[in-house]
Amino acid sequence: MSNDVQMNDAGAEKRDDWVKITSSDGYSFLVKRSVAAISGTLKNMLSEDSSFREAIANTCPISERAAVVEKVCEYMSFKAYYEGPGSKEGVDVNEFTERIPPEVALELLLAADYLEGVLDSCI
């Protein structure tokens, strides 16, 4: 799971394998394209078939503050890891929800709605 979110550029990886998600207050998060594709909105923005500027630049702006975008990235990574192939020990979703500070819960729900239910099963 720790390999799905990275705070700086990975020189050994192909640039197309990583996308940058930016917050409204200027913070950037690098995540694997497969992790970003958990969100229907981000998947459409990054589609190679589209001519969206997000697809060309491999950058998706999210109009939320960094604390919210960080939790969105963390959850997408969590979901991608536990839905991926291979056997994993059962992890209760409460493990993730306990890490959501109450002061960002409402903003996180609004961001999830925009991102087409990224956190539906979480909250």
Side-chain angles (χ1 to χ4, degrees), residues 29-104:
F29 301 88
L30 289 177
V31 297
K32 287 187 175 181
R33 182 178 294 275
S34 60
V35 171
I38 297 289
S39 160
T41 302
L42 296 180
K43 183 178 181 179
N44 290 337
M45 285 179 175
L46 295 167
S47 172
E48 294 175 2
D49 298 333
S50 74
S51 59
F52 292 135
R53 85 171 173 220
E54 292 86 359
I56 295 167
N58 282 332
T59 301
C60 293
I62 297 180
S63 301
E64 297 291 342
R65 61 190 178 106
V68 174
V69 176
E70 177 183 23
K71 287 298 177 187
V72 167
C73 292
E74 183 180 341
Y75 181 73
M76 289 187 304
S77 176
F78 179 88
K79 186 173 181 180
Y81 179 77
Y82 286 102
E83 284 186 347
S87 63
K88 306 199 175 60
E89 293 181 25
V91 173
D92 189 13
V93 173
N94 288 336
E95 179 186 317
F96 180 78
T97 59
E98 290 170 358
R99 296 188 306 225
I100 299 174
E103 58 272 10
V104 300

Side-chain angles (χ1 to χ4, degrees), residues 15-34:
R15 185 156 177 78
D16 292 340
D17 290 340
W18 295 87
V19 295
K20 185 190 305 185
I21 299 176
T22 58
S23 65
S24 60
D25 50 359
Y27 289 89
S28 298
F29 301 88
L30 289 177
V31 297
K32 287 187 175 181
R33 182 178 294 275
S34 60

